[in-house]
mmCIF file of all heavy atoms in Angstrom:
data_model
loop_
_atom_site.group_PDB
_atom_site.id
_atom_site.type_symbol
_atom_site.label_atom_id
_atom_site.label_comp_id
_atom_site.label_asym_id
_atom_site.label_seq_id
_atom_site.Cartn_x
_atom_site.Cartn_y
_atom_site.Cartn_z
ATOM 1 N N PHE F 485 79.952 -19.456 -38.514
ATOM 2 C CA PHE F 485 79.126 -20.662 -38.654
ATOM 3 C C PHE F 485 78.629 -20.841 -40.083
ATOM 4 O O PHE F 485 78.677 -21.951 -40.632
ATOM 5 C CB PHE F 485 77.940 -20.576 -37.694
ATOM 6 C CG PHE F 485 76.994 -21.735 -37.814
ATOM 7 C CD1 PHE F 485 77.304 -22.963 -37.258
ATOM 8 C CD2 PHE F 485 75.799 -21.601 -38.511
ATOM 9 C CE1 PHE F 485 76.442 -24.044 -37.374
ATOM 10 C CE2 PHE F 485 74.923 -22.670 -38.637
ATOM 11 C CZ PHE F 485 75.259 -23.894 -38.066
ATOM 12 N N THR F 486 78.142 -19.767 -40.701
ATOM 13 C CA THR F 486 77.624 -19.877 -42.069
ATOM 14 C C THR F 486 78.713 -20.306 -43.039
ATOM 15 O O THR F 486 78.462 -21.088 -43.967
ATOM 16 C CB THR F 486 77.021 -18.529 -42.507
ATOM 17 O OG1 THR F 486 76.066 -18.096 -41.539
ATOM 18 C CG2 THR F 486 76.355 -18.653 -43.853
ATOM 19 N N THR F 487 79.937 -19.818 -42.836
ATOM 20 C CA THR F 487 81.039 -20.183 -43.722
ATOM 21 C C THR F 487 81.479 -21.623 -43.498
ATOM 22 O O THR F 487 81.654 -22.397 -44.446
ATOM 23 C CB THR F 487 82.226 -19.226 -43.490
ATOM 24 O OG1 THR F 487 81.798 -17.884 -43.678
ATOM 25 C CG2 THR F 487 83.359 -19.529 -44.454
ATOM 26 N N TRP F 488 81.649 -22.001 -42.232
ATOM 27 C CA TRP F 488 82.195 -23.316 -41.922
ATOM 28 C C TRP F 488 81.210 -24.437 -42.194
ATOM 29 O O TRP F 488 81.611 -25.551 -42.563
ATOM 30 C CB TRP F 488 82.648 -23.354 -40.463
ATOM 31 C CG TRP F 488 84.070 -22.927 -40.295
ATOM 32 C CD1 TRP F 488 84.536 -21.653 -40.206
ATOM 33 C CD2 TRP F 488 85.210 -23.782 -40.218
ATOM 34 N NE1 TRP F 488 85.889 -21.648 -40.065
ATOM 35 C CE2 TRP F 488 86.334 -22.950 -40.067
ATOM 36 C CE3 TRP F 488 85.393 -25.149 -40.245
ATOM 37 C CZ2 TRP F 488 87.625 -23.457 -39.950
ATOM 38 C CZ3 TRP F 488 86.674 -25.662 -40.132
ATOM 39 C CH2 TRP F 488 87.773 -24.823 -39.993
ATOM 40 N N VAL F 489 79.920 -24.213 -42.012
ATOM 41 C CA VAL F 489 78.970 -25.300 -42.215
ATOM 42 C C VAL F 489 78.902 -25.682 -43.693
ATOM 43 O O VAL F 489 78.692 -26.862 -44.042
ATOM 44 C CB VAL F 489 77.582 -24.910 -41.658
ATOM 45 C CG1 VAL F 489 76.865 -23.944 -42.573
ATOM 46 C CG2 VAL F 489 76.735 -26.147 -41.409
ATOM 47 N N LYS F 490 79.117 -24.714 -44.579
ATOM 48 C CA LYS F 490 79.169 -25.036 -46.008
ATOM 49 C C LYS F 490 80.439 -25.811 -46.343
ATOM 50 O O LYS F 490 80.412 -26.770 -47.129
ATOM 51 C CB LYS F 490 79.110 -23.749 -46.831
ATOM 52 C CG LYS F 490 77.785 -23.006 -46.721
ATOM 53 C CD LYS F 490 77.803 -21.739 -47.554
ATOM 54 C CE LYS F 490 76.469 -20.992 -47.431
ATOM 55 N NZ LYS F 490 76.479 -19.731 -48.216
ATOM 56 N N LEU F 491 81.553 -25.420 -45.724
ATOM 57 C CA LEU F 491 82.811 -26.132 -45.966
ATOM 58 C C LEU F 491 82.730 -27.565 -45.449
ATOM 59 O O LEU F 491 83.126 -28.519 -46.135
ATOM 60 C CB LEU F 491 83.957 -25.384 -45.280
ATOM 61 C CG LEU F 491 85.314 -26.092 -45.286
ATOM 62 C CD1 LEU F 491 85.851 -26.187 -46.703
ATOM 63 C CD2 LEU F 491 86.314 -25.360 -44.393
ATOM 64 N N LEU F 492 82.209 -27.739 -44.250
ATOM 65 C CA LEU F 492 82.136 -29.077 -43.665
ATOM 66 C C LEU F 492 81.179 -29.969 -44.449
ATOM 67 O O LEU F 492 81.424 -31.174 -44.590
ATOM 68 C CB LEU F 492 81.686 -28.980 -42.206
ATOM 69 C CG LEU F 492 82.657 -28.294 -41.245
ATOM 70 C CD1 LEU F 492 82.045 -28.198 -39.850
ATOM 71 C CD2 LEU F 492 83.975 -29.058 -41.175
ATOM 72 N N ALA F 493 80.091 -29.401 -44.953
ATOM 73 C CA ALA F 493 79.142 -30.212 -45.729
ATOM 74 C C ALA F 493 79.780 -30.746 -47.007
ATOM 75 O O ALA F 493 79.525 -31.889 -47.411
ATOM 76 C CB ALA F 493 77.903 -29.385 -46.060
ATOM 77 N N SER F 494 80.618 -29.944 -47.637
ATOM 78 C CA SER F 494 81.280 -30.399 -48.866
ATOM 79 C C SER F 494 82.435 -31.352 -48.587
ATOM 80 O O SER F 494 82.677 -32.290 -49.355
ATOM 81 C CB SER F 494 81.783 -29.197 -49.659
ATOM 82 O OG SER F 494 82.745 -28.462 -48.908
ATOM 83 N N GLU F 495 83.157 -31.139 -47.474
ATOM 84 C CA GLU F 495 84.318 -31.966 -47.180
ATOM 85 C C GLU F 495 83.945 -33.282 -46.494
ATOM 86 O O GLU F 495 84.580 -34.308 -46.732
ATOM 87 C CB GLU F 495 85.304 -31.188 -46.289
ATOM 88 C CG GLU F 495 85.923 -29.992 -46.963
ATOM 89 C CD GLU F 495 86.809 -30.384 -48.140
ATOM 90 O OE1 GLU F 495 87.502 -31.412 -48.044
ATOM 91 O OE2 GLU F 495 86.788 -29.672 -49.157
ATOM 92 N N LEU F 496 82.945 -33.259 -45.629
ATOM 93 C CA LEU F 496 82.551 -34.460 -44.892
ATOM 94 C C LEU F 496 81.450 -35.246 -45.584
ATOM 95 O O LEU F 496 81.000 -36.272 -45.062
ATOM 96 C CB LEU F 496 82.084 -34.094 -43.479
ATOM 97 C CG LEU F 496 83.070 -33.330 -42.604
ATOM 98 C CD1 LEU F 496 82.496 -33.107 -41.221
ATOM 99 C CD2 LEU F 496 84.396 -34.069 -42.508
ATOM 100 N N GLY F 497 81.033 -34.778 -46.755
ATOM 101 C CA GLY F 497 79.995 -35.507 -47.485
ATOM 102 C C GLY F 497 80.432 -36.896 -47.905
ATOM 103 O O GLY F 497 79.591 -37.776 -48.133
ATOM 104 N N CYS F 498 81.741 -37.125 -47.979
ATOM 105 C CA CYS F 498 82.236 -38.447 -48.366
ATOM 106 C C CYS F 498 81.953 -39.505 -47.309
ATOM 107 O O CYS F 498 82.034 -40.706 -47.593
ATOM 108 C CB CYS F 498 83.732 -38.379 -48.654
ATOM 109 S SG CYS F 498 84.728 -37.814 -47.252
ATOM 110 N N LEU F 499 81.639 -39.070 -46.074
ATOM 111 C CA LEU F 499 81.334 -40.039 -45.018
ATOM 112 C C LEU F 499 79.937 -40.624 -45.170
ATOM 113 O O LEU F 499 79.623 -41.637 -44.547
ATOM 114 C CB LEU F 499 81.464 -39.374 -43.644
ATOM 115 C CG LEU F 499 82.854 -38.873 -43.264
ATOM 116 C CD1 LEU F 499 82.812 -38.197 -41.900
ATOM 117 C CD2 LEU F 499 83.847 -40.025 -43.236
ATOM 118 N N ILE F 500 79.074 -39.967 -45.974
ATOM 119 C CA ILE F 500 77.730 -40.488 -46.243
ATOM 120 C C ILE F 500 77.786 -41.148 -47.619
ATOM 121 O O ILE F 500 77.696 -40.479 -48.653
ATOM 122 C CB ILE F 500 76.682 -39.369 -46.208
ATOM 123 C CG1 ILE F 500 76.761 -38.593 -44.900
ATOM 124 C CG2 ILE F 500 75.288 -39.922 -46.405
ATOM 125 C CD1 ILE F 500 75.861 -37.380 -44.852
ATOM 126 N N TYR F 501 77.954 -42.453 -47.675
ATOM 127 C CA TYR F 501 78.113 -43.153 -48.950
ATOM 128 C C TYR F 501 77.451 -44.524 -48.853
ATOM 129 O O TYR F 501 77.212 -45.051 -47.760
ATOM 130 C CB TYR F 501 79.590 -43.302 -49.298
ATOM 131 C CG TYR F 501 80.331 -44.320 -48.473
ATOM 132 C CD1 TYR F 501 80.591 -45.593 -48.954
ATOM 133 C CD2 TYR F 501 80.746 -44.008 -47.178
ATOM 134 C CE1 TYR F 501 81.253 -46.534 -48.187
ATOM 135 C CE2 TYR F 501 81.414 -44.936 -46.399
ATOM 136 C CZ TYR F 501 81.675 -46.190 -46.916
ATOM 137 O OH TYR F 501 82.319 -47.126 -46.145
ATOM 138 N N ASN F 502 77.163 -45.079 -50.022
ATOM 139 C CA ASN F 502 76.545 -46.398 -50.102
ATOM 140 C C ASN F 502 77.657 -47.435 -50.284
ATOM 141 O O ASN F 502 78.324 -47.457 -51.317
ATOM 142 C CB ASN F 502 75.570 -46.452 -51.285
ATOM 143 C CG ASN F 502 74.745 -47.709 -51.290
ATOM 144 O OD1 ASN F 502 74.476 -48.285 -50.242
ATOM 145 N ND2 ASN F 502 74.338 -48.149 -52.474
ATOM 146 N N PRO F 503 77.902 -48.291 -49.292
ATOM 147 C CA PRO F 503 79.012 -49.249 -49.403
ATOM 148 C C PRO F 503 78.771 -50.286 -50.506
ATOM 149 O O PRO F 503 77.637 -50.523 -50.926
ATOM 150 C CB PRO F 503 79.048 -49.905 -48.012
ATOM 151 C CG PRO F 503 77.674 -49.736 -47.483
ATOM 152 C CD PRO F 503 77.170 -48.444 -48.039
ATOM 153 N N SER F 504 79.847 -50.879 -50.937
ATOM 154 C CA SER F 504 79.757 -51.895 -51.984
ATOM 155 C C SER F 504 79.051 -53.142 -51.474
ATOM 156 O O SER F 504 78.852 -53.330 -50.269
ATOM 157 C CB SER F 504 81.158 -52.249 -52.484
ATOM 158 O OG SER F 504 81.926 -52.824 -51.436
ATOM 159 N N TYR F 505 78.695 -54.014 -52.403
ATOM 160 C CA TYR F 505 77.955 -55.222 -52.018
ATOM 161 C C TYR F 505 78.808 -56.136 -51.140
ATOM 162 O O TYR F 505 78.297 -56.789 -50.234
ATOM 163 C CB TYR F 505 77.507 -55.963 -53.281
ATOM 164 C CG TYR F 505 76.610 -57.141 -52.991
ATOM 165 C CD1 TYR F 505 75.267 -56.960 -52.667
ATOM 166 C CD2 TYR F 505 77.111 -58.435 -53.030
ATOM 167 C CE1 TYR F 505 74.444 -58.039 -52.391
ATOM 168 C CE2 TYR F 505 76.289 -59.525 -52.759
ATOM 169 C CZ TYR F 505 74.952 -59.327 -52.448
ATOM 170 O OH TYR F 505 74.146 -60.410 -52.170
ATOM 171 N N GLU F 506 80.117 -56.186 -51.394
ATOM 172 C CA GLU F 506 80.985 -57.037 -50.584
ATOM 173 C C GLU F 506 81.054 -56.536 -49.142
ATOM 174 O O GLU F 506 80.962 -57.315 -48.188
ATOM 175 C CB GLU F 506 82.400 -57.087 -51.193
ATOM 176 C CG GLU F 506 82.492 -57.833 -52.518
ATOM 177 C CD GLU F 506 81.954 -57.013 -53.669
ATOM 178 O OE1 GLU F 506 81.733 -55.791 -53.485
ATOM 179 O OE2 GLU F 506 81.759 -57.590 -54.757
ATOM 180 N N VAL F 507 81.212 -55.213 -48.981
ATOM 181 C CA VAL F 507 81.233 -54.648 -47.633
ATOM 182 C C VAL F 507 79.878 -54.831 -46.953
ATOM 183 O O VAL F 507 79.790 -55.123 -45.759
ATOM 184 C CB VAL F 507 81.614 -53.152 -47.691
ATOM 185 C CG1 VAL F 507 81.531 -52.512 -46.312
ATOM 186 C CG2 VAL F 507 83.014 -52.991 -48.265
ATOM 187 N N PHE F 508 78.824 -54.682 -47.706
ATOM 188 C CA PHE F 508 77.481 -54.867 -47.158
ATOM 189 C C PHE F 508 77.294 -56.289 -46.621
ATOM 190 O O PHE F 508 76.739 -56.487 -45.534
ATOM 191 C CB PHE F 508 76.452 -54.558 -48.248
ATOM 192 C CG PHE F 508 75.121 -55.216 -48.047
ATOM 193 C CD1 PHE F 508 74.246 -54.784 -47.061
ATOM 194 C CD2 PHE F 508 74.727 -56.297 -48.835
ATOM 195 C CE1 PHE F 508 73.019 -55.398 -46.871
ATOM 196 C CE2 PHE F 508 73.511 -56.917 -48.650
ATOM 197 C CZ PHE F 508 72.652 -56.467 -47.667
ATOM 198 N N ARG F 509 77.760 -57.298 -47.342
ATOM 199 C CA ARG F 509 77.592 -58.675 -46.889
ATOM 200 C C ARG F 509 78.419 -58.971 -45.637
ATOM 201 O O ARG F 509 77.983 -59.696 -44.746
ATOM 202 C CB ARG F 509 78.016 -59.645 -47.995
ATOM 203 C CG ARG F 509 77.136 -59.623 -49.217
ATOM 204 C CD ARG F 509 75.702 -59.993 -48.914
ATOM 205 N NE ARG F 509 75.600 -61.321 -48.312
ATOM 206 C CZ ARG F 509 74.487 -61.832 -47.818
ATOM 207 N NH1 ARG F 509 73.380 -61.109 -47.814
ATOM 208 N NH2 ARG F 509 74.466 -63.039 -47.282
ATOM 209 N N LYS F 510 79.599 -58.379 -45.538
ATOM 210 C CA LYS F 510 80.457 -58.648 -44.387
ATOM 211 C C LYS F 510 79.989 -57.926 -43.126
ATOM 212 O O LYS F 510 80.288 -58.362 -42.013
ATOM 213 C CB LYS F 510 81.901 -58.243 -44.702
ATOM 214 C CG LYS F 510 82.564 -59.147 -45.729
ATOM 215 C CD LYS F 510 84.005 -58.727 -45.969
ATOM 216 C CE LYS F 510 84.677 -59.646 -46.970
ATOM 217 N NZ LYS F 510 86.088 -59.272 -47.217
ATOM 218 N N THR F 511 79.286 -56.819 -43.299
ATOM 219 C CA THR F 511 78.829 -56.037 -42.134
ATOM 220 C C THR F 511 77.353 -56.247 -41.833
ATOM 221 O O THR F 511 76.785 -55.520 -41.023
ATOM 222 C CB THR F 511 79.080 -54.543 -42.369
ATOM 223 O OG1 THR F 511 78.399 -54.131 -43.569
ATOM 224 C CG2 THR F 511 80.564 -54.257 -42.502
ATOM 225 N N LEU F 512 76.713 -57.216 -42.480
ATOM 226 C CA LEU F 512 75.286 -57.445 -42.265
ATOM 227 C C LEU F 512 75.056 -57.978 -40.849
ATOM 228 O O LEU F 512 75.656 -58.978 -40.446
ATOM 229 C CB LEU F 512 74.751 -58.439 -43.292
ATOM 230 C CG LEU F 512 73.228 -58.652 -43.299
ATOM 231 C CD1 LEU F 512 72.529 -57.365 -43.733
ATOM 232 C CD2 LEU F 512 72.849 -59.804 -44.220
ATOM 233 N N PRO F 513 74.192 -57.340 -40.055
ATOM 234 C CA PRO F 513 73.938 -57.816 -38.687
ATOM 235 C C PRO F 513 73.272 -59.193 -38.667
ATOM 236 O O PRO F 513 72.687 -59.652 -39.662
ATOM 237 C CB PRO F 513 73.006 -56.747 -38.107
ATOM 238 C CG PRO F 513 73.213 -55.550 -38.969
ATOM 239 C CD PRO F 513 73.522 -56.069 -40.332
ATOM 240 N N LYS F 514 73.344 -59.816 -37.530
ATOM 241 C CA LYS F 514 72.819 -61.167 -37.371
ATOM 242 C C LYS F 514 71.303 -61.193 -37.530
ATOM 243 O O LYS F 514 70.733 -62.173 -38.036
ATOM 244 C CB LYS F 514 73.217 -61.705 -36.003
ATOM 245 C CG LYS F 514 72.803 -63.133 -35.744
ATOM 246 C CD LYS F 514 73.280 -63.594 -34.385
ATOM 247 C CE LYS F 514 72.864 -65.049 -34.123
ATOM 248 N NZ LYS F 514 73.327 -65.514 -32.777
ATOM 249 N N LYS F 515 70.629 -60.125 -37.102
ATOM 250 C CA LYS F 515 69.167 -60.110 -37.169
ATOM 251 C C LYS F 515 68.643 -60.156 -38.592
ATOM 252 O O LYS F 515 67.498 -60.560 -38.829
ATOM 253 C CB LYS F 515 68.625 -58.854 -36.469
ATOM 254 C CG LYS F 515 68.662 -58.936 -34.956
ATOM 255 C CD LYS F 515 67.911 -57.765 -34.358
ATOM 256 C CE LYS F 515 67.839 -57.909 -32.834
ATOM 257 N NZ LYS F 515 67.083 -56.808 -32.211
#
């Protein structure tokens, strides 16, 4: 667990990102 959680944090960190303004406008909810 100690080994894999460090690997997953570095490899899956790309899934936590700030989308561009164009993507933000297209995915903006109705509310």
